[in-house]
Amino acid sequence: MLYQWSKRGWKVWAASTLPYSCLGQKESCRSLSLTGHVGFDSSPDQLVNKSINQGFCFNILCIGETGIGKSTLIDTLFNTHFDDRVANHFQPNVRLKAQTYDLHESNVRLKLTIVNTVGFGDQINKEDSYQPIVDYIDAQFEAYLQEELKIKRSLYSYHDTRIHVCLYFISPTGHSLKTLDLLTMKNLDSKVNIIPVIGKADTISKTELQKFKIKLMSELVSNGVQIYQFPTEDETISKINATMNGHLPFAVVGSLEEVKVGNKMVKARQYPWGIVQVENEHHCDFVKLREMLICTNMEDLREQTHTRHYELYRRCKLEEMGFRDTGPENKPVRLALLKYYADRKKSVSHSQATVESVQETYEAKRHEFFGELQRREEEMRQTFVQRVKEKEAILKEAERELQAKFEHLKRLHQEERMKLEEKRKLLEDEMIVFSKRKAATELLQAQAFASTPTVSLKKDKDRKNSSFM
Ligand code: GTP
Ligand code: MG
């Protein structure tokens, strides 16, 4: 159902009777003046309060060669020591290191995540140096998308790690952009807001710096690299942002060292020939960067990340998963559905149709997924059965072989037993013969003894006894 206010009161439209303007065309909206104070002018204050209570989250990615001054600049930007260890030049690959800090200023809480490249530009083959960075940015988008797709989402308390801005540090060579820089920025410009900065800008002279800036910008344009442009739509900041767009890339100097200049302590780098003041706009663009990044455009950077870069990632990912906004015949799914319901003379509300279009896509995907799952399950079952059969055949063969072996051994054993039996019989016969002979011999001996005279026997006995003595 759709409700619309008319002179005669609220009008309720059923989907089948909806005016054409409600089915995709822009509705005309009348301006009315209020006759008294209502109170919705406090809405912006409510938003401010809500944001203060909730706190903000801001994620910065620093890309630049080892030792270009990334950590020093971040320390200087937030006026604190973030305790970041220095890297060596012997990293086999480019890595990313993320650290999150809770910062408080007045009553505003900022959850700041700083992601630094480690070992960028240190490998002999730098061809794929940008890949770990692209993967990292995508992984943060993916994590957010997964949270968004959950049935029970908790985006309110979710720690959003999507990169809001990339500070790309360019070496102050005074020449031109390195291939590595061009390649990396080209691969990142559709994924993140890039603000190029010239690091250690105190090591390049004023005139060289101006020429260098112009050269860098023309190279970025000619190579089609899209860097972040400070927005100029909002008239309160359009002037300053337009001017700052003309100062890109910012030439920055970082230092937390305090030096006395006049009667003031200022952040500076001290050299034998003089002092470079970090916050002096005549010395470098540090203040411009801080103003643009933190004070003026932080919210726009967060918004651009969500509405432009994340949206692009989400669209590609959902299309990859098979979701479409248009149905068959290239009609928008919503309108196709409305027509379908109208054809069936079934009234259905506008919002219901939208919900059902998502639901239908989801159902179709679910159906497809379960079909695929079942197919794979069946495939796996078939493979399993086949394997079991093969194993069974192998086992049966082994059993047959064992049985044959057993039969063979049994036969041998039988033959051996029979031979032994025969031998035993022979021995028993021999023993019987022997016993008979023995008995006969004994009989003969006894008879001979009986026929011999007693005297000679006595003499023999005496002789035997004396030989024993
Ligand atoms: P890794 O994290 O090890 O890659 O280095 P990094 O890019 O974080 O550089 P880091 O901030 O540690 O600075 C490296 C050296 O450069 C230190 O000795 C800093 O004092 C010095 N340095 C930092 N910023 C500047 C700068 O703006 N100008 C000059 N001349 N030196 C700087
Ligand atoms: Mg560092």
Side-chain angles (χ1 to χ4, degrees):
M1 295 289 172
L2 191 87
Y3 299 87
Q4 195 180 40
W5 174 252
S6 74
K7 275 181 192 166
R8 275 171 281 146
W10 285 103
K11 180 169 180 167
V12 184
W13 296 90
S16 53
T17 55
L18 278 177
Y20 180 64
S21 65
C22 300
L23 298 178
Q25 297 283 307
K26 266 193 184 169
E27 281 177 58
S28 57
C29 183
R30 283 200 303 148
S31 292
L32 294 177
S33 51
L34 303 170
T35 48
H37 182 252
V38 178
F40 61 76
D41 57 355
S42 73
S43 299
D45 302 336
Q46 293 172 30
L47 278 178
V48 170
N49 290 340
K50 195 175 149 206
S51 301
I52 288 175
N53 289 339
Q54 205 179 329
F56 296 88
C57 127
F58 194 57
N59 308 322
I60 306 177
L61 165 66
C62 294
I63 306 179
E65 292 171 10
T66 306
I68 187 76
K70 301 183 288 294
S71 306
T72 313
L73 186 79
I74 294 292
D75 286 359
T76 322
L77 273 173
F78 290 94
N79 226 347
T80 188
H81 266 298
F82 283 112
D83 187 29
D84 192 16
R85 280 211 217 126
V86 294
N88 61 36
H89 290 272
F90 311 109
Q91 305 287 331
N93 309 306
V94 176
R95 281 190 300 116
L96 282 106
K97 195 172 77 179
Q99 271 168 318
T100 302
Y101 306 91
D102 239 329
L103 305 179
H104 293 260
E105 190 171 52
S106 310
N107 57 346
V108 180
R109 199 165 53 83
L110 179 70
K111 196 175 214 173
L112 178 72
T113 299
I114 297 161
V115 184
N116 266 308
T117 54
V118 181
F120 187 75
D122 285 335
Q123 295 74 36
I124 295 170
N125 182 359
K126 300 181 182 69
E127 212 174 312
D128 291 331
S129 293
Y130 65 85
Q131 199 55 52
I133 308 172
V134 170
D135 292 346
Y136 182 88
I137 295 172
D138 281 349
Q140 312 318 307
F141 282 150
E142 183 61 33
Y144 192 86
L145 181 64
Q146 288 305 323
E147 186 61 36
E148 233 186 24
L149 291 175
K150 276 185 190 167
I151 304 237
K152 277 188 184 172
R153 305 185 291 180
S154 44
L155 289 171
Y156 183 79
S157 57
Y158 175 78
H159 179 203
D160 185 1
T161 52
R162 293 172 299 173
I163 300 295
H164 299 119
V165 66
C166 159
L167 293 181
Y168 195 97
F169 287 72
I170 300 165
S171 299
T173 57
H175 285 256
S176 60
L177 272 174
K178 295 177 185 174
T179 316
L180 173 64
D181 297 330
L182 266 178
L183 201 66
T184 309
M185 281 197 255
K186 188 93 190 117
N187 277 284
L188 293 183
D189 67 356
S190 60
K191 293 180 179 292
V192 68
N193 301 309
I194 303 175
I195 300 183
V197 295
I198 301 168
K200 296 188 176 180
D202 52 331
T203 60
I204 185 168
S205 78
K206 202 173 170 180
T207 45
E208 276 177 342
L209 181 66
Q210 282 320 309
K211 283 186 201 155
F212 190 40
K213 276 190 176 189
I214 294 167
K215 187 132 199 242
L216 291 181
M217 286 312 284
S218 80
E219 278 183 347
L220 287 175
V221 171
S222 62
N223 285 284
V225 177
Q226 296 271 320
I227 59 165
Y228 174 72
Q229 292 291 305
F230 302 116
T232 50
E233 293 86 44
D234 181 349
E235 60 190 37
T236 52
I237 50 167
S238 65
K239 207 166 161 209
I240 176 91
N241 274 357
T243 318
M244 289 301 158
N245 280 329
H247 282 288
L248 286 169
F250 293 136
V252 292
V253 175
S255 175
L256 276 183
E257 200 185 321
E258 299 258 317
V259 177
K260 195 162 188 178
V261 175
N263 53 4
K264 252 187 8 185
M265 294 301 282
V266 293
K267 284 195 208 78
R269 296 190 75 85
Q270 240 180 325
Y271 295 103
W273 58 88
I275 290 171
V276 179
Q277 294 173 36
V278 171
E279 290 171 322
N280 185 332
E281 290 207 48
H282 296 293
H283 291 195
C284 72
D285 299 331
F286 173 80
V287 173
K288 292 188 182 79
L289 173 69
R290 190 175 58 193
E291 282 284 318
M292 289 291 98
L293 183 69
I294 301 171
C295 308
T296 318
N297 296 303
M298 190 187 264
E299 197 42 43
D300 185 68
L301 286 161
R302 284 158 38 95
E303 204 179 298
Q304 290 285 323
T305 303
H306 187 72
T307 55
R308 206 169 126 222
H309 303 300
Y310 171 66
E311 205 55 33
L312 179 65
Y313 177 86
R314 182 181 170 278
R315 199 185 75 204
C316 296
K317 207 70 198 177
L318 292 186
E319 278 176 1
E320 226 173 74
M321 285 159 78
F323 286 92
R324 295 278 178 278
D325 282 341
T326 51
E329 299 165 31
N330 234 12
K331 280 185 186 146
V333 178
R334 183 168 55 85
L335 288 180
L337 263 165
L338 275 175
K339 189 176 173 299
Y340 166 73
Y341 282 112
D343 287 351
R344 285 175 54 188
K345 303 243 180 317
K346 193 174 176 185
S347 63
V348 60
S349 77
H350 193 73
S351 56
Q352 194 184 346
T354 314
V355 170
E356 289 194 18
S357 70
V358 176
Q359 207 171 336
E360 197 185 55
T361 316
Y362 171 72
E363 283 300 331
K365 283 270 86 178
R366 211 168 75 106
H367 203 72
E368 199 179 296
F369 174 74
F370 278 111
E372 177 66 16
L373 204 72
Q374 268 178 349
R375 195 185 58 75
R376 284 206 193 159
E377 213 176 279
E378 183 56 27
E379 233 175 63
M380 275 169 74
R381 208 178 60 81
Q382 294 288 351
T383 319
F384 179 72
V385 169
Q386 184 63 26
R387 290 231 179 114
V388 167
K389 275 184 184 163
E390 281 169 15
K391 201 83 197 164
E392 227 172 51
I394 292 169
L395 282 174
K396 272 195 179 149
E397 184 58 37
E399 196 185 333
R400 246 195 315 276
E401 277 174 18
L402 266 175
Q403 189 68 29
K405 224 173 185 172
F406 172 71
E407 292 296 332
H408 176 70
L409 283 173
K410 206 170 137 187
R411 219 171 26 250
L412 285 179
H413 175 72
Q414 203 80 13
E415 283 169 14
E416 205 73 18
R417 239 178 82 177
M418 276 162 69
K419 278 182 194 166
L420 281 173
E421 200 63 29
E422 273 172 25
K423 275 187 184 170
R424 197 170 67 90
K425 267 188 187 156
L426 278 172
L427 274 172
E428 272 174 5
D429 289 349
E430 274 176 23
M431 273 170 70
I432 291 167
V433 173
F434 177 76
S435 306
K436 279 182 183 168
R437 280 192 189 158
K438 192 180 160 196
T441 315
E442 277 171 358
L443 192 67
L444 278 172
Q445 268 181 354
Q447 282 171 357
F449 182 72
S451 58
T452 313
T454 323
V455 182
S456 62
L457 269 176
K458 199 172 177 296
K459 271 183 188 170
D460 280 351
K461 207 174 176 181
D462 290 345
R463 218 182 298 130
K464 267 182 195 169
N465 285 343
S466 64
S467 65
F468 278 116
M469 288 178 61

